[in-house]
């Protein structure tokens, strides 16, 4: 389609008129189509195909050329030029039919191939990085000095975070992001973060240092940009991008009034139920993410009256799993417009900007389906999500990249989606568990999560084991809270249900990390706790206020922080950390981000601005306006010149990981421990080849407490009478006895990286 074809006049976009009697008769409903009577009730009669699904051509006059509505052809054309769907059409045509599309395997995920490309990731956050005056975020990330520091530490990839335009469009103006740039409205780089050329330079610099760049796509929703505005106007395929339903004018009385200055209003539970009863929407979903009484009571919102390009004024009800400004994408609309939009965005990042990989954000909510009357709609773990993820991840692999998913659902969901979808999954399973182990000085729940994951087929090599990122410490514990809520588990010497287990762990975390225990960490809606890694540790060490943390406390906080680094790095899979980790950042006081957290999004306290390379020490905020947080460890240049610093200690930890190929090894056992604060993980250094006989074994032993401990490591995977070698000192520390065990001593928050060599054939 040419530029002229993509900007047809509004009058030409109206649907073809069909008014003759024969056509009307043909449109009359046939016998009712029925699905499984128990789970899938028959479609209400009012939703069967009818003549009223066809729009009529309406002659109308046009208003002032400055007006921002469908009556102004120039405005419609301007929106089309801004839209992601239009860009996707252009991008896809550029790759279609090219031999490059057939050079790479794409059917099956390959975690180890992805890890060999990038094993240790730095997770950046655009609005929080302090840069030199006049230097953009992407310009700073592409700095040779930064990549030299990364190479020294052992970091091999940068996840940029979302850098494309986000937010919305109102009239002729853009509006700010409502969710940290995860409400994307364009394939273009946001000028606040740099340019496409700077992104390409970043990709080149990373490649020069043996690294990679990881970008984001958001397959679950967009912002309220040009695509959504065109959808409201019923322009061509655009309504098909979203889960949006036109409500007939005679039923507008069911809809709430939209307050002045707003373009939509969230539905309350009663209205949601009424619209579902009348067959307009599928109604209640399995949960309301970001639930907030009076602000987000349901996952549905109603628009105000919007003039369409055909002259008809409509009101719509649309789905948004997340915030009201994040309308959900419909992956099974007959136009497949949503699918085209998302794939086009992915191809732009990989083929045009030079990314090596993509994060699939919020990719577990791509299918919704009506369930039996009175039951919530099926919205999590839906097969359509698996199918859509297969398409996205397959396309990414087809053009030579890899992907990882942020799928906070059950372990089975992560396993099943990962069988055909993304190459790697974010470790939502063990992240809250290792924080719980530190908070309680007891690894019992962490051992349970590790064992459960392994037994259900989610090996650690397929996971991204991360410290802090831009999101909260998630404690929803959905595996235990939902599918396994009635299953029984042994915990603290009693048997409790999965639901009780989740409730207990949440209560422990809230009590130990927030409120009177630590007024600087804050609960985030029903999802988790807003905090930094350093502030979690500070709370566990008894600091009730930020002011109570002095320079003399830094060493103890750093020691605990390194314990968490060892846990995440000394097991197979990707290890990820952020600038907040590298610099030991504390949360910013709530009073400094009062406006940002006013709607309940407390996560802004953990996103304090930071000067990674000490390029602008006088800055009190990032260029995006995030206030500067307090760093306990100092900038990277300072740390790399200071023996024993956090950054240099991380380098030593990562050197052991890479030297022995632990990142692509196989986990074989999480044994019982002699002390509740101990954790032991046993790995075969076999690169994932289960046929290798008698390989090297690696044993990670950690102390999650602030006290020295002595204990015994015992595992059926150990071979009696073999030497146990400390990989740090290369000294033999003992031998496996006939009970397949050996003794260890650990300092506070200490860790051991132990190796057991295979039997050497004397004849060889």
């Amino acid at each position: 389609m040419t530029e002229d074809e993509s900007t047809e006049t509004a009058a030409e976009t109206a649907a073809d008129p069909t008014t003759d009697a024969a056509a009307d008769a043909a449109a009359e409903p046939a016998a009712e189509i029925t699905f499984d009577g128990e789970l899938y009730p028959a479609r209400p009669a009012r939703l069967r195909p009818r003549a009223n699904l066809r729009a009529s051509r309406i002659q109308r006059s046009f208003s002032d050329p400055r007006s921002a509505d469908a009556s102004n052809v120039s405005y419609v054309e301007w929106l089309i030029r801004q839209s992601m769907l239009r860009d996707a059409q252009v991008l896809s045509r550029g790759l279609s039919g090219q031999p490059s599309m057939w050079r790479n395997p794409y059917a099956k995920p390959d975690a180890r191939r992805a890890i060999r490309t990038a094993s240790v990731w730095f997770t950046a956050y655009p609005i929080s990085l302090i840069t030199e005056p006049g230097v953009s975020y992407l310009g700073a990330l592409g700095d040779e000095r930064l990549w030299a520091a990364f190479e020294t530490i052992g970091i091999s990839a940068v996840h940029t975070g979302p850098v494309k335009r986000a937010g919305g469009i109102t009239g002729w103006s853009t509006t700010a992001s409502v969710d940290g740039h995860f409400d994307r409205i364009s394939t273009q780089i946001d000028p606040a973060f740099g340019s496409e050329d700077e992104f390409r330079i970043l990709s080149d610099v990373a490649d020069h240092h043996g690294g990679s760049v990881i970008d984001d796509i958001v397959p679950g929703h967009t912002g309220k940009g040009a695509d959504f505005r065109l959808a409201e106007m019923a322009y061509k395929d655009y309504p098909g991008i979203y889960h949006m339903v036109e409500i007939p004018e005679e039923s507008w009385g069911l809809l709430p009034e939209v307050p002045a200055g707003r373009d939509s209003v969230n539905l309350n539970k009663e209205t949601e139920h009424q619209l579902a009863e009348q067959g307009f929407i599928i109604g209640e979903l399995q949960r309301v993410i970001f639930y907030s009484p009076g602000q987000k009571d349901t996952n549905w919102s109603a628009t105000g009256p919007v003039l369409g390009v055909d002259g008809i004024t409509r009101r719509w009800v649309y789905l948004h799993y997340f915030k009201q400004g994040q309308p959900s994408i419909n992956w099974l609309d007959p136009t497949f417009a949503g699918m085209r939009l998302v794939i086009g965005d992915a191809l732009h990042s990989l083929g045009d900007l030079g990314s090596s990989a993509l994060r699939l954000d919020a990719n577990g909510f791509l299918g919704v389906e009506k369930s039996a009357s009175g039951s919530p709609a099926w919205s999590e773990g839906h097969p359509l999500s698996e199918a859509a993820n297969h398409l996205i991840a397959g396309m990414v692999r087809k053009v030579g990249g890899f992907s990882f998913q942020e799928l906070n659902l059950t372990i089975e969901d992560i396993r099943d989606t990962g069988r055909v979808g993304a190459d790697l999954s974010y470790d939502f399973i063990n992240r809250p568990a290792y924080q719980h182990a530190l908070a309680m000085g007891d690894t019992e729940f962490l051992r349970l999560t590790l064992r459960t994951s392994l037994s259900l087929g989610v090996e650690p090599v397929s996971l991204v084991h991360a410290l802090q990122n831009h999101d909260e410490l998630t404690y929803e514990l959905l595996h235990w809270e939902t599918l396994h809520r009635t299953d029984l588990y042994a915990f603290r010497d009693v048997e409790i249900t999965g639901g009780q287990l989740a409730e207990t762990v949440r209560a422990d975390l809230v009590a130990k990390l927030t409120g009177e225990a630590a007024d600087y960490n804050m609960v985030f809606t029903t999802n988790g706790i807003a905090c930094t890694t350093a502030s979690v540790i500070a709370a566990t060490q008894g600091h009730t206020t930020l002011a109570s943390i002095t320079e003399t406390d830094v060493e103890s906080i750093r020691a605990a922080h390194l314990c968490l680094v060892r846990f995440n790095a000394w097991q197979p899979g990707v290890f990820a950390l952020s600038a907040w980790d590298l610099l030991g950042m504390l949360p910013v006081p709530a009073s400094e981000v009062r406006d940002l957290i006013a709607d309940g999004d407390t996560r802004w306290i953990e996103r304090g601005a930071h000067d990674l390379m000490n390029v602008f020490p006088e800055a009190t905020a990032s260029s995006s306006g995030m206030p500067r947080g307090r760093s306990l460890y100092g900038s990277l240049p300072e740390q790399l010149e200071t023996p024993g610093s956090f950054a240099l200690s991380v380098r030593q930890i990562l050197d052991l990981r890479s030297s022995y190929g632990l990142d692509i090894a196989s986990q074989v056992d999480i044994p019982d421990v002699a002390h509740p604060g101990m954790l032991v993980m046993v790995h075969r250094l076999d690169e994932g080849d289960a046929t290798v006989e008698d390989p090297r074994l690696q044993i990670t032993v950690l102390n999650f407490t602030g006290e020295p401990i002595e204990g015994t490591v015992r595992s059926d995977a150990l071979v009696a009478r073999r030497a146990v070698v400390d990989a740090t000192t290369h000294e033999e520390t003992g031998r496996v006895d006939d009970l397949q065990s050996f003794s260890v001593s650990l300092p506070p928050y200490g860790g051991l990286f132990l190796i057991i060599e295979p039997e050497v054939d004397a004849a060889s």
Side-chain angles (χ1 to χ4, degrees):
M1 182 171 61
T2 66
E3 176 74 11
D4 290 339
E5 290 171 330
S6 71
T7 56
E8 296 171 354
T9 64
E12 292 172 325
T13 65
D16 291 336
T18 309
T19 58
D20 59 281
D24 284 340
E28 285 301 311
E32 184 174 345
I33 300 174
T34 346
F35 299 89
D36 185 314
E38 181 178 353
L39 293 179
Y40 309 107
R43 289 179 295 173
R46 66 181 65 83
L47 297 184
R48 298 174 195 156
R50 291 173 181 265
N52 64 13
L53 295 181
R54 298 188 306 273
S56 299
R57 191 183 302 275
I58 296 178
Q59 188 67 34
R60 55 193 168 80
S61 60
F62 292 93
S63 64
D64 190 311
R66 294 170 295 180
S67 64
D69 60 34
S71 68
N72 184 354
V73 175
S74 296
Y75 180 65
V76 175
E77 292 177 347
W78 178 75
L79 288 175
I80 295 167
R81 291 193 297 271
Q82 309 294 315
S83 76
M84 298 175 70
L85 183 58
R86 175 186 174 276
D87 285 351
Q89 292 167 339
V90 174
L91 288 161
S92 60
R93 284 199 303 271
L95 287 172
S96 182
Q98 297 301 308
S100 59
M101 294 299 295
W102 300 102
R103 291 173 182 161
N104 300 297
Y106 62 88
K108 296 180 180 179
D110 191 339
R112 288 181 171 86
R113 182 188 73 86
I115 292 169
R116 287 185 176 98
T117 301
S119 177
V120 179
W121 300 357
F122 172 78
T123 56
Y125 194 61
I127 64 177
S128 296
L129 182 65
I130 294 173
T131 64
E132 294 178 79
V135 176
S136 72
Y137 165 75
L138 289 173
L141 276 190
D143 191 311
E144 287 278 358
R145 296 168 296 176
L146 177 62
W147 275 93
F150 283 165
E151 196 169 10
T152 297
I153 295 169
I155 294 168
S156 53
V158 164
H159 176 207
T160 62
V163 294
K164 294 181 180 179
R165 289 181 183 270
I169 289 177
T170 299
W172 295 93
S173 303
T174 57
T175 56
S177 170
V178 299
D179 189 25
H181 271 69
F182 287 99
D183 45 347
R184 181 166 297 172
I185 62 172
S186 174
T187 58
Q188 299 173 6
I189 300 294
D190 190 322
F193 302 140
S195 66
E196 289 197 357
D197 286 341
E198 286 178 313
F199 197 112
R200 296 185 186 100
I201 291 170
L202 164 61
S203 299
D204 290 342
V205 172
D207 185 65
H208 176 71
H209 287 271
S212 304
V213 177
I214 302 170
D215 196 6
D216 288 83
I217 62 169
V218 188
H221 54 255
T222 71
K224 287 186 175 179
D227 297 274
F228 186 73
R229 297 307 177 201
L230 288 166
E232 289 181 308
M233 295 177 184
Y235 178 77
K236 286 193 169 181
D237 292 349
Y238 284 81
I241 297 174
Y242 301 102
H243 284 285
M244 58 192 304
V245 178
E246 179 185 347
I247 305 300
E249 187 170 359
E250 60 268 22
S251 298
W252 286 6
L254 296 172
L255 304 179
E257 292 296 321
V258 177
R262 300 268 299 278
D263 64 357
S264 62
V265 60
N266 190 242
L267 303 185
N268 60 31
K269 297 289 291 183
E270 181 182 354
T271 303
E272 176 189 58
H273 178 72
Q274 288 178 329
L275 290 172
E277 283 291 297
Q278 296 202 25
F280 292 119
I281 62 175
I282 61 175
E284 179 187 2
L285 272 56
Q286 288 173 259
R287 60 174 167 150
V288 180
I289 299 174
F290 296 171
Y291 171 77
S292 180
Q295 294 189 43
K296 189 186 178 189
D297 293 302
T298 71
N299 294 302
W300 300 92
S301 286
T303 72
V306 181
L307 178 67
V309 293
D310 53 3
I312 298 174
T313 297
R314 297 173 173 85
R315 290 194 72 183
W316 306 84
V317 170
Y318 68 93
L319 176 68
H320 54 95
Y321 280 102
F322 296 93
K323 297 185 178 181
Q324 195 172 109
Q326 296 170 290
S328 293
I329 292 174
N330 184 353
W331 274 83
L332 202 57
D333 183 82
T335 65
F336 292 100
M339 180 188 299
R340 288 186 280 140
L341 180 152
V342 172
I343 295 297
D345 191 21
L347 293 175
H348 175 252
S349 291
L350 295 163
D352 197 12
L353 298 181
S355 301
S356 298
L358 295 174
R359 179 180 68 160
L360 313 183
D361 180 73
N363 68 315
F365 313 104
L366 308 185
V368 292
E369 182 173 337
K370 187 174 180 62
S371 296
S373 297
S375 299
W378 187 6
S379 56
E380 298 186 4
H382 195 284
L384 179 57
S385 285
E386 295 180 28
N389 278 280
H390 192 185
L391 285 169
I392 300 168
M395 181 62 74
V396 171
R397 287 189 287 268
K398 199 170 186 184
V399 296
F402 69 88
S403 60
F404 80 102
Q405 62 183 3
E406 281 202 339
L407 191 64
N408 184 22
L409 294 175
T410 68
I411 297 173
E412 289 92 340
D413 287 325
I414 294 171
R415 177 197 64 201
D416 295 344
T417 304
R419 283 174 176 165
V420 294
D423 299 273
L424 298 159
S425 297
Y426 194 83
D427 188 357
F428 281 112
I429 305 163
N430 300 302
R431 185 168 182 251
Y434 76 70
Q435 302 280 18
H436 184 263
L438 189 73
M440 306 305 294
D442 190 327
T443 64
E444 183 178 9
F445 181 58
L446 177 55
R447 282 178 272 127
L448 175 60
T449 62
L450 286 163
R451 290 167 177 167
T452 304
S453 178
L454 203 58
S455 68
L456 291 178
V458 177
E459 297 184 44
V461 74
S462 68
L463 299 174
V464 178
H465 310 287
L467 293 173
Q468 185 190 347
N469 64 15
H470 65 279
D471 272 330
E472 76 286 355
L473 164 57
T474 301
Y475 63 19
E476 293 165 293
L477 305 173
L478 293 178
H479 179 81
W480 324 97
E481 181 78 359
T482 57
L483 183 63
H484 298 277
R485 63 187 177 276
T486 60
D487 293 354
L488 294 176
Y489 299 91
F491 187 67
R492 294 177 178 168
D493 300 322
V494 297
E495 245 188 10
I496 60 175
T497 65
Q500 292 169 326
L501 177 63
E503 184 178 348
T504 299
V505 171
R506 279 197 299 269
D508 288 342
L509 289 170
V510 170
K512 289 286 186 177
L513 303 182
T514 69
E516 293 183 3
D519 66 2
Y520 42 84
N521 298 325
M522 301 178 71
V523 171
F524 170 63
T525 64
T526 59
N527 293 53
I529 297 172
C531 56
T532 68
T533 305
S535 75
V536 166
I537 296 166
T540 67
Q541 295 182 356
H543 297 284
T544 58
T545 66
L546 291 176
S548 70
I549 304 170
T550 66
E551 287 301 314
T552 58
D553 300 311
V554 172
E555 184 176 350
S556 179
I557 291 174
R558 181 169 58 233
H561 207 153
L562 290 170
C563 174
L564 301 185
V565 171
R566 293 186 186 97
F567 167 73
N568 286 286
W570 285 356
Q571 62 176 305
V574 166
F575 169 57
L577 77 172
S578 64
W580 296 299
D581 291 303
L582 283 172
L583 305 188
M585 301 297 297
L586 296 174
V588 297
S591 59
E592 296 187 21
V593 287
R594 183 176 289 110
D595 291 344
L596 292 173
I597 67 176
D599 66 350
D601 193 347
T602 56
R603 293 175 299 175
W604 291 105
I605 67 168
E606 68 188 51
R607 298 167 175 170
H610 44 264
D611 190 349
L612 199 59
M613 294 298 290
N614 199 31
V615 294
F616 195 4
E618 301 84 11
T620 59
S622 69
S623 59
S624 297
M626 279 302 298
R628 186 174 192 144
R630 177 185 170 191
S631 167
L632 298 182
Y633 306 153
S635 67
L636 284 188
E638 294 172 291
Q639 291 192 57
L640 294 179
E641 294 177 358
T642 305
S645 69
F646 181 79
L648 287 180
S649 298
V650 170
R651 181 179 71 176
Q652 294 171 350
I653 291 169
L654 296 180
D655 281 347
L656 289 173
R657 166 187 166 92
S658 61
S659 296
Y660 289 90
L662 179 57
D663 54 350
I664 53 173
S666 303
Q667 191 169 91
V668 292
D669 194 18
I670 307 295
D672 290 332
V673 291
H675 186 285
M678 276 180 61
L679 179 74
V680 178
M681 299 183 286
V682 182
H683 307 108
R684 283 170 45 106
L685 301 179
D686 58 7
E687 298 187 2
D689 186 352
T691 65
V692 174
E693 296 183 5
D694 197 20
R696 272 179 170 177
L697 292 181
Q698 185 276 336
I699 301 98
T700 296
V701 188
L702 302 174
N703 177 6
F704 277 79
T705 77
E707 303 294 332
I709 60 176
E710 295 188 0
T712 301
V713 173
R714 187 195 175 285
S715 172
D716 291 341
L718 304 182
V719 180
R721 305 184 185 182
R722 291 195 179 172
V724 180
V725 176
D726 187 327
T728 303
T729 63
H730 302 289
E731 295 178 355
E732 182 177 317
T733 62
R735 284 189 171 267
V736 180
D737 62 27
D738 288 346
L739 295 177
Q740 295 173 288
S741 65
F742 59 90
S743 299
V744 293
S745 297
L746 293 163
Y749 302 117
L752 295 171
F753 189 108
L754 304 174
I755 297 295
I756 297 179
E757 298 285 355
E759 194 70 47
V760 177
D761 187 350
S764 63

